[in-house]
Amino acid sequence: MVQQDNFLTYIKNSKYAYYYPLFVFILETALRVGEVCGLTWDDVDLEHGFVNITHQLQYNNVGKDACQYQILTPKSKSGVRNVPLSNAARDALMEQMKNQIEMDKKTEIEIDGYKDFVFSNRQNKPFITQTIGRILNRIVDDYNSDIKKFGGTIEPLPHIHPHLLRHTSCSRMAEAGVDPRTLQDIMGHASMKMTMELYNHVTNERLTNEIQKLNNRRIS
């Protein structure tokens, strides 16, 4: 959790601040990155506090030396779902809306009938997974370079790929006590087995940490 907080604080107070709402939103919702990229404002219900997930956006090869945006359906029927918004996720969307208005970053492109995408890059086009991966690489490199330059005891960040943010978000929800069945719905997992593998890992890690606290108390 400390690394996550450091990661977000660094983004918010650096030249990467433009991407702050994007990464907060991913870490608060556990959406697949393609689902985040494909999210439109029509999918967002701020009044009732949820986003409706029915599709994802990909940027795929369509021929020799040619790529194009494509709207795809979720991996399974369970991928079509309503995902509740935490206060932080709602705030991130509000900040993103404000930024798009103030910086005139509203997307004008239409892809397979979808338009007005929530998260747009500096060219007013929707993000793609590959771009988010490159941004993460730059952030981690600069973060680690800065903490090395100024010294201190802050741990460097590991390599972060976009899917890791979804995994981290799911772990945080499990740590907070979200029950497995609800977590399966939020994640859009087709099988409870997929959810339980992560849930059990988090539970076992929590138990180990609690026992270590007991051991430390007895030593002291």
Side-chain angles (χ1 to χ4, degrees):
M1 188 66 176
V2 173
Q3 275 194 334
Q4 178 178 321
D5 290 342
N6 289 343
F7 168 74
L8 291 175
T9 299
Y10 179 79
I11 295 173
K12 188 174 184 179
N13 297 290
S14 71
K15 63 183 180 181
Y16 300 106
Y18 177 79
Y19 307 111
Y20 180 75
L22 169 68
F23 291 120
V24 170
F25 183 76
I26 296 175
L27 285 165
E28 286 291 323
T29 59
L31 294 183
R32 296 177 177 90
V33 180
E35 294 169 343
V36 175
C37 294
L39 195 70
T40 71
W41 285 111
D42 284 341
D43 301 318
V44 177
D45 187 338
L46 289 173
E47 180 181 354
H48 298 97
F50 68 84
V51 290
N52 184 30
I53 304 302
T54 61
H55 59 276
Q56 57 182 315
L57 176 65
Q58 300 290 341
Y59 191 67
N60 296 323
N61 292 324
V62 292
K64 185 178 180 181
D65 301 324
C67 296
Q68 71 178 27
Y69 290 109
Q70 292 180 321
I71 294 292
L72 303 175
T73 56
K75 291 183 176 181
S76 63
K77 291 182 179 179
S78 56
V80 177
R81 64 204 189 278
N82 286 333
V83 176
L85 296 172
S86 66
N87 290 337
R90 188 196 297 258
D91 289 345
L93 287 174
M94 293 296 291
E95 183 174 350
Q96 178 64 13
M97 182 182 295
K98 179 182 176 182
N99 289 344
Q100 281 191 334
I101 294 172
E102 292 182 350
M103 301 174 68
D104 194 23
K105 291 295 181 182
K106 183 177 179 179
T107 56
E108 298 178 355
I109 187 174
E110 182 172 326
I111 304 168
D112 296 337
Y114 291 86
K115 57 183 179 179
D116 201 12
F117 294 90
V118 173
F119 294 102
S120 51
N121 62 25
R122 296 185 184 278
Q123 288 73 45
N124 291 10
K125 294 180 180 180
F127 279 110
I128 58 175
T129 301
Q130 298 91 322
T131 299
I132 293 176
R134 289 193 291 270
I135 293 168
L136 282 170
N137 287 339
R138 293 202 301 269
I139 291 172
V140 170
D141 287 345
D142 286 354
Y143 177 96
N144 290 340
S145 176
D146 285 347
I147 64 173
K148 184 178 180 180
K149 183 189 307 179
F150 296 109
T153 58
I154 300 177
E155 290 290 325
L157 291 173
H159 170 69
I160 303 175
H161 55 81
H163 185 72
L164 180 61
L165 300 179
R166 170 173 158 84
H167 185 278
T168 299
S169 178
C170 182
S171 296
R172 295 291 173 262
M173 292 181 189
E175 290 169 357
V178 176
D179 68 87
R181 184 66 184 82
T182 300
L183 193 56
Q184 181 188 6
D185 288 343
I186 292 173
M187 297 295 290
H189 283 158
S191 167
M192 175 62 78
K193 180 182 178 182
M194 299 170 65
T195 307
M196 289 307 301
E197 286 177 354
L198 177 58
Y199 201 90
N200 287 336
H201 170 75
V202 171
T203 302
N204 290 337
E205 185 175 345
R206 186 190 302 124
L207 289 172
T208 300
N209 290 338
E210 291 303 315
I211 291 298
Q212 188 58 46
K213 290 180 184 178
L214 177 61
N215 292 336
N216 293 340
R217 191 177 300 118
R218 286 173 174 172
I219 292 174
S220 60

